[in-house]
C-alpha cells in the first residue's frame, strides 16, 4: 500500500513540474519529462510498474487538459504497451542506443496521438481547440525530440553510475 502512495506522489509531482515549471520556461517548454519518465520506468522496472505510472500520470494530466477524460491514459498506455513490445522483441539490451530509439519512437507516437485526439474531438464538437501544423509546430516537435533525448541520455548514464552491474541484472531478468 505504501508503494502505491509513493507512486501517486511521484506521479503528481511529475505532472505538477511538467505543467507549472517546465511549461513556464521557454527553453524547457518542449521537454516532456512525463513521457521520458514513463519510457525509462517501463524499461527499467517493467511493464507492470509502467502501467501503473501511465494510469496515474494520465489521470493527473487529464485534470489540466481540455481533452475528454481518459484521453491521456489511453495514449500513455498505448505508448508503453508498444514500447514494451519493442523492448522485449527488438531492442533486447539495455543500451544507450536502444533507449534513445525508444524515446524517439515514443515522442513521435505521443505527438501524433495528441494531434489525432485533438482533431477527432474537434470534429466531434467536444473541444474548440484546433492545432495548426505549420513551421512552428515542426520546430517545436524537433526541439521536443532533442530535449527528450538529452533527458533520457542523462537518466541512462545516471542509472549506469548508480546501479552496479546494471546490464547483468537485466540479462538475468529476462
Amino acid at each position: 500500500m505504501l508503494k502505491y502512495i509513493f507512486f501517486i506522489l511521484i506521479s503528481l509531482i511529475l505532472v505538477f513540474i511538467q505543467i507549472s515549471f517546465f511549461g513556464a520556461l521557454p527553453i524547457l517548454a518542449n521537454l516532456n519529462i512525463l513521457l521520458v519518465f514513463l519510457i525509462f520506468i517501463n524499461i527499467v522496472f517493467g511493464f507492470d510498474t509502467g502501467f501503473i505510472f501511465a494510469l496515474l500520470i494520465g489521470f493527473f494530466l487529464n485534470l489540466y487538459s481540455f481533452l475528454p477524460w481518459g484521453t491521456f491514459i489511453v495514449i500513455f498506455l498505448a505508448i508503453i504497451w508498444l514500447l514494451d513490445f519493442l523492448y522485449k522483441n527488438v531492442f533486447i539490451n539495455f543500451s544507450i542506443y536502444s533507449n534513445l530509439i525508444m524515446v524517439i519512437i515514443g515522442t513521435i507516437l505521443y505527438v501524433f496521438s495528441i494531434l489525432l485526439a485533438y482533431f477527432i474531438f474537434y470534429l466531434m464538437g467536444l473541444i474548440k481547440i484546433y492545432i495548426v501544423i505549420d513551421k512552428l509546430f515542426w520546430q517545436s516537435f524537433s526541439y521536443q525530440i532533442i530535449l527528450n533525448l538529452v533527458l533520457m541520455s542523462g537518466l541512462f548514464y545516471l542509472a549506469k553510475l548508480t546501479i552496479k552491474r546494471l546490464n547483468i541484472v537485466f540479462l538475468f531478468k529476462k
Side-chain angles (χ1 to χ4, degrees):
M1 182 67 180
L2 190 62
K3 176 173 77 169
Y4 295 114
I5 293 172
F6 184 65
F7 288 171
I8 291 170
L9 286 176
I10 289 174
S11 300
L12 187 61
I13 289 169
L14 283 174
V15 169
F16 180 72
I17 289 170
Q18 175 74 40
I19 298 296
S20 64
F21 184 69
F22 287 144
L25 296 174
I27 296 172
L28 298 176
N30 293 317
L31 179 62
N32 194 343
I33 61 168
L34 302 174
L35 182 66
V36 174
F37 176 77
L38 278 176
I39 293 170
F40 187 75
I41 289 296
N42 197 29
I43 292 171
V44 174
F45 295 108
F47 181 76
D48 295 337
T49 308
F51 181 84
I52 293 169
F53 274 108
L55 286 175
L56 293 171
I57 288 174
F59 174 78
F60 291 130
L61 198 57
N62 272 323
L63 297 175
Y64 297 104
S65 171
F66 294 109
L67 290 172
W69 194 256
T71 305
F72 281 105
I73 294 172
V74 170
I75 289 171
F76 283 139
L77 287 177
I79 289 172
I80 67 160
W81 176 78
L82 180 69
L83 291 178
D84 185 62
F85 176 78
L86 289 175
Y87 181 68
K88 289 180 179 173
N89 297 313
V90 178
F91 307 111
I92 55 174
N93 61 352
F94 187 73
S95 70
I96 185 71
Y97 301 114
S98 63
N99 286 347
L100 295 181
I101 290 170
M102 289 181 53
V103 165
I104 291 171
I105 293 169
T107 304
I108 291 170
L109 287 172
Y110 177 77
V111 168
F112 287 110
S113 297
I114 294 293
L115 276 176
L116 183 65
Y118 270 102
F119 183 67
I120 289 172
F121 294 133
Y122 177 78
L123 289 178
M124 293 172 61
L126 296 174
I127 60 172
K128 301 291 182 205
I129 299 171
Y130 183 74
I131 298 176
V132 178
I133 301 175
D134 58 353
K135 182 180 177 182
L136 185 61
F137 169 79
W138 291 111
Q139 183 181 13
S140 173
F141 178 63
S142 61
Y143 286 153
Q144 184 174 8
I145 288 178
I146 291 168
L147 289 173
N148 287 353
L149 289 174
V150 169
L151 181 60
M152 181 56 99
S153 299
L155 285 174
F156 177 81
Y157 286 117
L158 183 68
K160 284 290 229 184
L161 289 174
T162 58
I163 302 170
K164 299 286 186 194
R165 299 185 188 116
L166 191 61
N167 287 334
I168 296 172
V169 171
F170 286 108
L171 289 176
F172 287 131
K173 183 177 162 184
K174 297 184 187 264

